[in-house]
Amino acid sequence: MLDFHKNHKLLVGTAIFGFLMLSVLVALIPAFQIQKTQPLPTMEVFSEEELNGLHIYVQENCMSCHTQQVRNIEMDNTWGKRPSIPSDYYFSKQRQDLWRQSPSLLGSERTGPDLTNVGQRQPGMEWHLLHLYNPRIVVKESIMPSYPWLFELKEESKIKDTDYLVPVPQTFLNASTKKVVASQKALNLVAYLQSLKQAEMPQNPAVSFIPSSKEKETANNTGEAVLPNGQTLYMNNCAACHQAEGGGLPGAFPSLIGSPIINDENPETLIRIILEGYDARPEFGVMPGFQETLSDEEIAVIASHERSNWGNTAGAVTIDKVKEIRSFVKTLKQ
């Protein structure tokens, strides 16, 4: 009779064999399969600046609070256009150097928002620099720590032409007359964050969000389509720069309160700015365009929200007007 629990050699041998088999099944086989993964056609290789930024991202341990994994559940469609797949990590899974293995970027908790598509969601250079210098400048409720060591305070007379000035509001400088200059590390880190854009992929029904059990209401009792919520869309796309109450940030992002562009009877300029972005005023940061990320309905309700709040009294923007302006903008670019 075989006394398995008394035969130490057999017991240890079985344990080792089980460990090896599990290692092969759980670690080695998936690893070899992932190595065969190819990048998606629209993915781009990291530039030297972006790759250095990836290393800064790892050094500062950003993964402890931010994930880069969009799960295949409906609540995650806030962070990406689709669930993440192995190809999304093709370029970031390369070894850092001879001694350091591929960085672990997936993260495990969302103390801060997921960054999978942050380059599309928040592409502005100035916003990211302000956020790194002091997150409370752009997000008042943020609990993210500041990274002042990525910046330098300089006297105006010592600023070089090659220095990148960060438009920090005076209230955050403690009465200092010095200017905030971004270090090359900060610029590299922002370049990496701006590169985080979820690549388009061929239609694949297997890569989609699992819908929630509760069906979304798409029409009201009269059978008319229900428009998106303008305030929610404003908060998700605009409030980070222009702030929740539309006041902007002095020296960084313009106020929408009483703006002649917002209150103009003809909303064409406002719609074009939302579509194309705006960089005509050097005293403010560059605003990215939302032509590729927002629908006509979403732009219409955002513009209408801005034109009817914070003391603004302009009329609502129609979807047809947005469609007309979008068509005109496309014609100009052809």
Side-chain angles (χ1 to χ4, degrees), residues 27-38:
L28 293 181
I29 292 177
F32 283 121
Q33 290 175 336
I34 290 176
Q35 283 185 333
K36 297 178 182 179
T37 301
Q38 294 299 312

Side-chain angles (χ1 to χ4, degrees), residues 33-69:
Q33 290 175 336
I34 290 176
Q35 283 185 333
K36 297 178 182 179
T37 301
Q38 294 299 312
L40 295 171
T42 56
M43 291 177 65
E44 297 181 1
V45 181
F46 285 133
S47 67
E48 182 178 357
E49 187 179 25
E50 293 166 353
L51 186 59
N52 289 335
L54 168 59
H55 295 166
I56 302 300
Y57 184 89
V58 175
Q59 289 174 17
E60 299 297 343
N61 198 28
C62 301
M63 309 83 67
S64 64
C65 294
H66 294 282
T67 56
Q68 287 188 39
Q69 50 176 321

Side-chain angles (χ1 to χ4, degrees), residues 216-238:
K216 290 186 176 180
E217 294 184 3
T218 58
N220 57 24
N221 293 333
T222 63
E224 297 177 353
V226 176
L227 291 175
N229 185 287
Q231 181 179 8
T232 301
L233 285 168
Y234 173 85
M235 294 300 295
N236 291 341
N237 295 280
C238 315

Side-chain angles (χ1 to χ4, degrees), residues 82-93:
R82 55 169 175 77
S84 299
I85 58 174
S87 292
D88 292 327
Y89 309 100
Y90 180 82
F91 293 116
S92 61
K93 69 182 179 67

Side-chain angles (χ1 to χ4, degrees), residues 261-262 264-277 287-291 294-296 299-304 306-307 316-329:
I261 293 177
I262 299 292
D264 194 330
E265 183 178 349
N266 184 352
E268 178 177 349
T269 302
L270 173 59
I271 295 171
R272 289 196 61 176
I273 288 175
I274 297 175
L275 285 169
E276 300 180 278
M287 174 179 165
F290 293 89
Q291 188 168 358
L294 292 177
S295 67
D296 295 332
I299 291 176
V301 295
I302 288 174
S304 297
E306 294 173 347
R307 287 161 63 86
V317 175
T318 65
I319 298 173
D320 289 340
K321 184 66 175 179
V322 178
K323 289 180 179 179
E324 175 189 333
I325 302 302
R326 188 192 289 271
S327 178
F328 174 71
V329 167

Side-chain angles (χ1 to χ4, degrees), residues 58-189:
V58 175
Q59 289 174 17
E60 299 297 343
N61 198 28
C62 301
M63 309 83 67
S64 64
C65 294
H66 294 282
T67 56
Q68 287 188 39
Q69 50 176 321
V70 180
R71 300 166 298 181
N72 63 336
I73 54 178
E74 191 176 34
M75 64 181 292
D76 273 22
N77 63 13
T78 301
W79 311 120
K81 297 171 285 188
R82 55 169 175 77
S84 299
I85 58 174
S87 292
D88 292 327
Y89 309 100
Y90 180 82
F91 293 116
S92 61
K93 69 182 179 67
Q94 309 301 320
R95 295 183 69 97
Q96 293 191 69
D97 53 40
L98 178 63
W99 305 109
R100 291 182 295 175
Q101 184 52 277
S102 304
S104 177
L105 303 176
L106 293 183
S108 60
E109 63 176 282
R110 288 175 179 165
T111 305
D114 185 272
L115 301 181
T116 298
N117 204 36
V118 70
Q120 187 74 55
R121 192 169 68 243
Q122 190 57 262
M125 168 76 81
E126 285 81 5
W127 188 92
H128 282 293
L129 290 172
L130 287 169
H131 191 238
L132 289 171
Y133 181 76
N134 187 336
R136 265 64 61 189
I137 296 177
V138 290
V139 184
K140 293 179 181 179
E141 302 80 9
S142 177
I143 60 171
M144 174 176 157
S146 302
Y147 292 83
W149 53 88
L150 296 178
F151 301 85
E152 183 179 355
L153 290 176
K154 283 189 175 183
E155 297 287 353
E156 194 163 358
S157 60
K158 296 182 179 180
I159 294 176
K160 303 175 183 178
D161 292 338
T162 54
D163 287 337
Y164 196 104
L165 293 178
V166 184
V168 177
Q170 191 61 42
T171 53
F172 289 89
L173 293 177
N174 298 322
S176 173
T177 59
K178 294 182 178 181
K179 303 295 183 181
V180 179
V181 176
S183 69
Q184 190 57 51
K185 282 188 173 182
L187 295 175
N188 289 344
L189 178 54

